[in-house]
Structures are given as structure tokens and as C-alpha cells.
Amino acid sequence: CPQRPLSAQSAEYGTCSLRKMSAMEALELLDQLVDESDPDVDFPNSYHAYQTAEGIRRAHPDKDWFHLVGLLHDLGKVLALFGEPQ
């Protein structure tokens, strides 16, 4: 199988060298974003992440990995603050 060239995004973001931040820093940055899928929501995007994680924790108290996934599920949206489309 011939190797395919890296996409522009893979080349740009794949090395993780443009900016380093913790998950909590990225979560806080999300609060600066107006999400195109929910433009009329009045609460910060991080609140949605906490709500999701808490809902999963209540429904699945024994699956701590799932609680974390709920918290982190929208972190990729932070790329919109750096010029990527939503």
C-alpha cells in the first residue's frame, strides 16, 4: 500500500507544537466561543461539558472513564478560536 500524504490539518496539528495547554485551559477557552450549533445559549460552553459529565456520572456511577469523556467531548471546538471552521 503506498503511503498517502498527510492532510494539511494533520501536518499543521499532528505534532501538537502550535500551542500547548491543559484540558482545563482548553475547557476555559471554550467559554470564548459562540457555538454555531447553539448560538442562543446564554451559559458558557464549559457549563455544557460539566452538565454532560455530571449526567453521565449519575447514570453510570461505575464508569469513571465515561465521566471524563463527557467532560472532554467538545474540546475539539476550541480549534474554531484558532481559525478552523466550526
Short mmCIF file of all heavy atoms in Angstrom, two decimals, residues 49-50 52-73:
data_model
loop_
_atom_site.label_atom_id
_atom_site.label_comp_id
_atom_site.label_asym_id
_atom_site.label_seq_id
_atom_site.Cartn_x
_atom_site.Cartn_y
_atom_site.Cartn_z
N ALA A 49 -20.20 21.12 29.22
CA ALA A 49 -19.30 19.99 29.46
C ALA A 49 -19.50 19.43 30.87
O ALA A 49 -19.56 18.22 31.06
CB ALA A 49 -17.85 20.42 29.26
N TYR A 50 -19.62 20.32 31.85
CA TYR A 50 -19.84 19.86 33.23
C TYR A 50 -21.20 19.18 33.38
O TYR A 50 -21.33 18.18 34.08
CB TYR A 50 -19.72 21.02 34.22
CG TYR A 50 -18.32 21.59 34.32
CD1 TYR A 50 -18.07 22.92 34.04
CD2 TYR A 50 -17.25 20.79 34.69
CE1 TYR A 50 -16.79 23.45 34.13
CE2 TYR A 50 -15.96 21.31 34.78
CZ TYR A 50 -15.75 22.64 34.51
OH TYR A 50 -14.48 23.15 34.60
N THR A 52 -22.83 17.58 31.06
CA THR A 52 -22.73 16.28 30.39
C THR A 52 -22.04 15.27 31.30
O THR A 52 -22.52 14.15 31.49
CB THR A 52 -21.99 16.41 29.06
OG1 THR A 52 -22.67 17.37 28.24
CG2 THR A 52 -21.90 15.08 28.34
N ALA A 53 -20.89 15.67 31.86
CA ALA A 53 -20.14 14.77 32.73
C ALA A 53 -20.97 14.38 33.96
O ALA A 53 -20.99 13.21 34.36
CB ALA A 53 -18.83 15.43 33.16
N GLU A 54 -21.66 15.35 34.54
CA GLU A 54 -22.47 15.06 35.72
C GLU A 54 -23.65 14.14 35.38
O GLU A 54 -23.97 13.22 36.14
CB GLU A 54 -22.97 16.35 36.36
CG GLU A 54 -23.84 16.16 37.58
CD GLU A 54 -23.18 15.41 38.73
OE1 GLU A 54 -21.94 15.26 38.76
OE2 GLU A 54 -23.93 14.94 39.61
N GLY A 55 -24.28 14.36 34.24
CA GLY A 55 -25.37 13.49 33.82
C GLY A 55 -24.90 12.06 33.62
O GLY A 55 -25.57 11.10 34.02
N ILE A 56 -23.73 11.91 33.02
CA ILE A 56 -23.18 10.58 32.81
C ILE A 56 -22.82 9.95 34.16
O ILE A 56 -23.05 8.76 34.39
CB ILE A 56 -21.96 10.64 31.87
CG1 ILE A 56 -22.40 11.01 30.46
CG2 ILE A 56 -21.20 9.31 31.87
CD1 ILE A 56 -21.26 11.35 29.52
N ARG A 57 -22.26 10.76 35.07
CA ARG A 57 -21.89 10.22 36.39
C ARG A 57 -23.12 9.70 37.13
O ARG A 57 -23.07 8.63 37.73
CB ARG A 57 -21.20 11.30 37.23
CG ARG A 57 -20.66 10.74 38.55
CD ARG A 57 -20.29 11.84 39.53
NE ARG A 57 -21.44 12.65 39.91
CZ ARG A 57 -22.36 12.29 40.80
NH1 ARG A 57 -22.28 11.11 41.40
NH2 ARG A 57 -23.36 13.08 41.10
N ARG A 58 -24.22 10.43 37.03
CA ARG A 58 -25.44 9.98 37.70
C ARG A 58 -25.99 8.70 37.07
O ARG A 58 -26.45 7.81 37.76
CB ARG A 58 -26.51 11.08 37.66
CG ARG A 58 -26.41 12.01 38.84
CD ARG A 58 -27.60 12.96 38.95
NE ARG A 58 -27.16 14.28 38.52
CZ ARG A 58 -27.60 14.92 37.44
NH1 ARG A 58 -28.52 14.41 36.68
NH2 ARG A 58 -27.13 16.09 37.12
N ALA A 59 -25.93 8.64 35.75
CA ALA A 59 -26.48 7.48 35.04
C ALA A 59 -25.56 6.26 35.10
O ALA A 59 -26.03 5.13 35.09
CB ALA A 59 -26.75 7.85 33.59
N HIS A 60 -24.25 6.51 35.16
CA HIS A 60 -23.26 5.42 35.13
C HIS A 60 -22.18 5.68 36.18
O HIS A 60 -21.02 5.96 35.84
CB HIS A 60 -22.61 5.32 33.74
CG HIS A 60 -23.59 5.12 32.64
ND1 HIS A 60 -24.16 3.90 32.37
CD2 HIS A 60 -24.13 6.00 31.76
CE1 HIS A 60 -24.99 4.03 31.34
NE2 HIS A 60 -25.00 5.30 30.98
N PRO A 61 -22.52 5.58 37.46
CA PRO A 61 -21.56 5.94 38.51
C PRO A 61 -20.30 5.07 38.54
O PRO A 61 -19.27 5.49 39.05
CB PRO A 61 -22.36 5.78 39.81
CG PRO A 61 -23.51 4.91 39.46
CD PRO A 61 -23.79 5.14 38.00
N ASP A 62 -20.36 3.90 37.96
CA ASP A 62 -19.23 2.97 37.98
C ASP A 62 -18.27 3.13 36.80
O ASP A 62 -17.27 2.44 36.73
CB ASP A 62 -19.74 1.53 38.03
CG ASP A 62 -20.63 1.21 36.82
OD1 ASP A 62 -21.35 2.12 36.35
OD2 ASP A 62 -20.60 0.06 36.36
N LYS A 63 -18.55 4.07 35.89
CA LYS A 63 -17.73 4.21 34.67
C LYS A 63 -17.02 5.56 34.67
O LYS A 63 -17.39 6.48 33.95
CB LYS A 63 -18.61 4.06 33.43
CG LYS A 63 -19.22 2.69 33.33
CD LYS A 63 -20.08 2.56 32.10
CE LYS A 63 -20.66 1.14 32.06
NZ LYS A 63 -21.70 1.01 31.07
N ASP A 64 -15.96 5.67 35.48
CA ASP A 64 -15.27 6.95 35.60
C ASP A 64 -14.67 7.42 34.28
O ASP A 64 -14.60 8.61 34.01
CB ASP A 64 -14.23 6.93 36.72
CG ASP A 64 -13.20 5.82 36.57
OD1 ASP A 64 -13.35 4.95 35.70
OD2 ASP A 64 -12.23 5.83 37.36
N TRP A 65 -14.26 6.49 33.42
CA TRP A 65 -13.73 6.87 32.12
C TRP A 65 -14.80 7.59 31.30
O TRP A 65 -14.51 8.52 30.55
CB TRP A 65 -13.21 5.64 31.36
CG TRP A 65 -14.31 4.65 31.04
CD1 TRP A 65 -14.71 3.60 31.81
CD2 TRP A 65 -15.16 4.64 29.89
NE1 TRP A 65 -15.76 2.93 31.21
CE2 TRP A 65 -16.07 3.55 30.03
CE3 TRP A 65 -15.25 5.44 28.76
CZ2 TRP A 65 -17.03 3.25 29.08
CZ3 TRP A 65 -16.22 5.14 27.81
CH2 TRP A 65 -17.10 4.06 27.99
N PHE A 66 -16.06 7.18 31.45
CA PHE A 66 -17.17 7.77 30.71
C PHE A 66 -17.45 9.18 31.21
O PHE A 66 -17.77 10.08 30.44
CB PHE A 66 -18.39 6.86 30.86
CG PHE A 66 -19.49 7.06 29.85
CD1 PHE A 66 -19.32 7.78 28.68
CD2 PHE A 66 -20.73 6.49 30.09
CE1 PHE A 66 -20.35 7.95 27.77
CE2 PHE A 66 -21.77 6.64 29.18
CZ PHE A 66 -21.58 7.38 28.03
N HIS A 67 -17.29 9.43 32.51
CA HIS A 67 -17.47 10.77 33.08
C HIS A 67 -16.48 11.72 32.42
O HIS A 67 -16.83 12.84 32.03
CB HIS A 67 -17.24 10.79 34.59
CG HIS A 67 -17.94 9.71 35.34
ND1 HIS A 67 -17.55 9.34 36.60
CD2 HIS A 67 -18.98 8.91 35.02
CE1 HIS A 67 -18.32 8.36 37.04
NE2 HIS A 67 -19.19 8.07 36.08
N LEU A 68 -15.23 11.25 32.29
CA LEU A 68 -14.18 12.07 31.67
C LEU A 68 -14.49 12.35 30.21
O LEU A 68 -14.34 13.48 29.74
CB LEU A 68 -12.82 11.38 31.81
CG LEU A 68 -11.64 12.13 31.22
CD1 LEU A 68 -11.44 13.48 31.89
CD2 LEU A 68 -10.39 11.27 31.32
N VAL A 69 -14.95 11.36 29.48
CA VAL A 69 -15.31 11.54 28.08
C VAL A 69 -16.41 12.60 27.95
O VAL A 69 -16.37 13.47 27.08
CB VAL A 69 -15.74 10.21 27.43
CG1 VAL A 69 -16.35 10.43 26.06
CG2 VAL A 69 -14.56 9.26 27.33
N GLY A 70 -17.38 12.58 28.86
CA GLY A 70 -18.44 13.57 28.85
C GLY A 70 -17.91 14.98 29.04
O GLY A 70 -18.36 15.93 28.40
N LEU A 71 -16.92 15.11 29.93
CA LEU A 71 -16.32 16.42 30.18
C LEU A 71 -15.55 16.92 28.96
O LEU A 71 -15.61 18.08 28.60
CB LEU A 71 -15.39 16.35 31.39
CG LEU A 71 -14.72 17.65 31.79
CD1 LEU A 71 -15.74 18.65 32.30
CD2 LEU A 71 -13.64 17.39 32.83
N LEU A 72 -14.84 16.03 28.30
CA LEU A 72 -13.93 16.42 27.21
C LEU A 72 -14.54 16.37 25.82
O LEU A 72 -13.89 16.76 24.85
CB LEU A 72 -12.70 15.50 27.24
CG LEU A 72 -11.91 15.46 28.55
CD1 LEU A 72 -10.75 14.49 28.43
CD2 LEU A 72 -11.43 16.83 28.95
N HIS A 73 -15.78 15.95 25.69
CA HIS A 73 -16.33 15.63 24.37
C HIS A 73 -16.35 16.79 23.37
O HIS A 73 -16.33 16.57 22.17
CB HIS A 73 -17.73 15.01 24.50
CG HIS A 73 -18.82 16.00 24.74
ND1 HIS A 73 -19.06 16.56 25.99
CD2 HIS A 73 -19.73 16.54 23.91
CE1 HIS A 73 -20.09 17.39 25.90
NE2 HIS A 73 -20.52 17.39 24.65
#
